[in-house]
Each structure stands twice: as C-alpha cells, then as structure tokens.
Amino acid sequence: MLAKVIPIKKSLFLRKILFMKRIVLIISFLCGFLMSAQIPQGVSYQAIALNPQGYPVGNTLIGVRLSILENSITGNTIYTETHTTTTNDRGLYNLVIGQGTPVSGSFPLIDWGTNTKFLKVELDVLGGTNYILSGTTQLWSVPYALYSEKANSVDAQNVEGRLSNSSTAGFMTNNKAYYLANALNNNNWIEQPLEGQPIDIVSCSFSLGVLTSTHAYVATIDNNQVDTATWFPIQLSGTPIKLSTSDGTIAVLTSTHAYVFTFTADSNNNITYNWFSHPISGTPRDIYGYGRSIFCIVTDTNAYAFGSTISNSSPEITVDWYTTPINGSIKEIRYNSNVFTIYTETHAHAFVPNYTLGGNLSFEWKSVQMSGNYIDSSK
C-alpha cells in the first residue's frame, strides 16, 4: 500500500534522441518516487512519444516495456515490466516504474545499493507488444534515494512489513508472518512460515494477508469457532502483481491467475473458508476491490469479476467468477460501491448486481455497443 508521495524533483534523464524506424521516444525525465513504510513501490516516469518526423504521437494508446539492467547497457536484466497507457494531445504519458505488469524479477527486491543500474525502454506505438528499442540509460540519484529511504526505514529483527487495525495486528519478517486478533479469547500470536521472498502485507476486518514471490497467505478467525484463528496458504501460478482487499476479503493478481480468499456457507449455515482461483488471458492491467467482497480484474482482452450469490430463503452463500471479453481499446474505468464499468472506444462493459423482490443477490456483466465516438469525461 502506498503510504506517501514524495514531491517530484525534475532532472534530465536521457541526453540524446534515438530515431527509430517507426517511433522516436524522448525520455524527458525520471523523477520522484513512491514508497511504503518499508519497501519502495515505484519511480515516477514521464516521456514524450514522437513519430519519425518528430511530431508527438498524441491521444494514442501505446505499449511500453521497461527493464532494469545491471552494470551496463548490455548487462543482465534483473527486472522487466510492461504498461499500456494513453498519451495526451502532446504525446506525453506518465508511468510509475514498479507499478506495471511484472514480466520477470521483483521490483521491491531490487538492491539499489549494489552495482550500477540502467533503464531500458521499449515502445509499441500501436498499443501492442511488438516493442521497439527506444533507448537505454544509466539511473542516477533517484533510485539511490529509494535505497537510502529503505535503509533508514528498516529496523531490527528483519521486519519486512507491519500493520494493525481495530481488530488485528500483524507483521512479517524475512521468513515468517505473525497474526493476532483481539476478538480471540486467548489473544495469542499465531505464526506462519513463509516460502519465497516477502512482497506485501495487508489487513481488513479480521483478516491478514501476506504476499511473497511464490505464495499467498491469509490468517482469519474461524466463524464456526470464534476463539480459533487459522492460516490459509496457497502456492501461486505466474508472477505476483498485486495484493488487494475488499470488505474483509483478500485477493491476489498474478500474471496468469486471479485468487480470492473468502468464505461460503451451506444451507445449514456452516461456513467454509477457501481460496478461489481463476486463470486469466491477456496482459493484466489491474485488480479492483470496491465493496461487498467484489473484485474485478482487467486485462487487455478480458474482464473478470468475482462475487457472492446470496439466497434470502436460506443461509446459503456461494461464489462465482464472471468473464466478459473486452471489445476495443480501454479508454476509462470507473466504479462505485455498486457498479464497475469499463469504457472502450466502441463498447461499455458493466458488472452489476441483480436484486430480486425476494432479496436474492447475484451478478452479471452487461455490455453495450456505442453509437458515435466515446468522450472521456476526465479530460
């Protein structure tokens, strides 16, 4: 989770313009940084995309691949991520290095204090994955400011992250996670050995979630026996991207799958906790948790949603995944506590709840093809 935004400090990033066959990219500056209390979360980045004639590629969806290299411009690649973004009318676009879709490596695990680091930038002006090399340059002061902040913020016992709310307390070290809930009669810490490198930790309601490079873990109170708390681990497929929460429910997005940890209830009101996973297609864009334990995952080709079906006539609660293809390039995503909507240049796709007069609740995707040109209300 992002704790604060450090004010931007402008600096020249690339000193020459590289003209390519189809696209020229002027990297204008690499500046500022975002960080959590323990682990740097990203570096703000701006660039201008120009065509071979030197004119800005304005109002265009582009694909960007960023790689961190070590020691030289041809050194080993220690981290790679991709972005899909839209330039403004002047060809300017903004990214946060570390917040894209990971392809290889882990941004929080980069050791900025050893060896020199270089940034390699590749671009697809058509918004796809046919990237063209735009330039490679050495990183200077900003990443080392990240390293300095990280070094100053880490304290004893190798603690990688900690948090608390009104109901729980928890933290993780380099090899274990710890959970305590003040609703338990015994109020004891429970431990969980961790596999992989720790990446993130979150809490919501009475649950604690931990993400590593290979696994996800959730600790929660057993509603069938309120004086018992249990850890639930799961081995992940793909590269971990994000740990998210929504009303007491915890979810994980990787490069190939989405995972949600929640509960179901049978007709006798027996509650079962479990991980529910679903494979995803396309390049992941983000995962959104926005209330009532609902999550939506968006890729460049599909949208996936997770929600509970509730019957008013019985205590039974079931869960399901809902999928819809995305038609056209994404222009805008909006959501509130009830509706999640994806707007493209040709369609709108909305994930909406269905209520019956009897009080039953279910969900579905509703799509419509537009007439005319989509107008982005945020501009």
Side-chain angles (χ1 to χ4, degrees), residues 80-101:
T80 299
E81 68 180 21
T82 59
H83 296 258
T84 301
T85 189
T86 302
T87 62
N88 67 9
D89 56 356
R90 296 171 294 171
L92 180 69
Y93 64 93
N94 296 274
L95 301 174
V96 177
I97 305 173
Q99 295 293 302
T101 300

Side-chain angles (χ1 to χ4, degrees), residues 130-178:
N130 296 317
Y131 302 107
I132 296 174
L133 177 64
S134 297
T136 304
T137 190
Q138 184 174 350
L139 299 176
W140 296 95
S141 60
V142 173
Y144 292 99
L146 289 175
Y147 165 75
S148 175
E149 180 64 29
K150 178 179 179 181
N152 290 334
S153 65
V154 176
D155 58 8
Q157 305 303 318
N158 295 317
V159 174
E160 301 284 347
R162 67 185 65 76
L163 44 77
S164 63
N165 59 30
S166 60
S167 303
T168 65
F171 66 96
M172 62 179 180
T173 70
N174 58 344
N175 57 22
K176 277 191 176 182
Y178 299 79

Side-chain angles (χ1 to χ4, degrees), residues 341-371:
T341 310
I342 303 168
Y343 300 97
T344 75
E345 73 261 354
T346 59
H347 288 73
H349 305 279
F351 187 65
V352 296
N354 287 326
Y355 297 99
T356 67
L357 293 177
N360 297 331
L361 171 64
S362 60
F363 296 89
E364 66 178 326
W365 283 103
K366 293 283 190 179
S367 300
V368 64
Q369 185 170 359
M370 299 179 187
S371 175

Side-chain angles (χ1 to χ4, degrees), residues 17 22 55 309 376:
I17 302 172
R22 295 171 57 193
Y55 295 103
T309 298
D376 189 346

Side-chain angles (χ1 to χ4, degrees), residues 20-23 121-124 130-135:
M20 310 302 294
K21 180 177 179 181
R22 295 171 57 193
I23 189 68
V121 181
E122 298 168 282
L123 191 68
D124 183 350
N130 296 317
Y131 302 107
I132 296 174
L133 177 64
S134 297

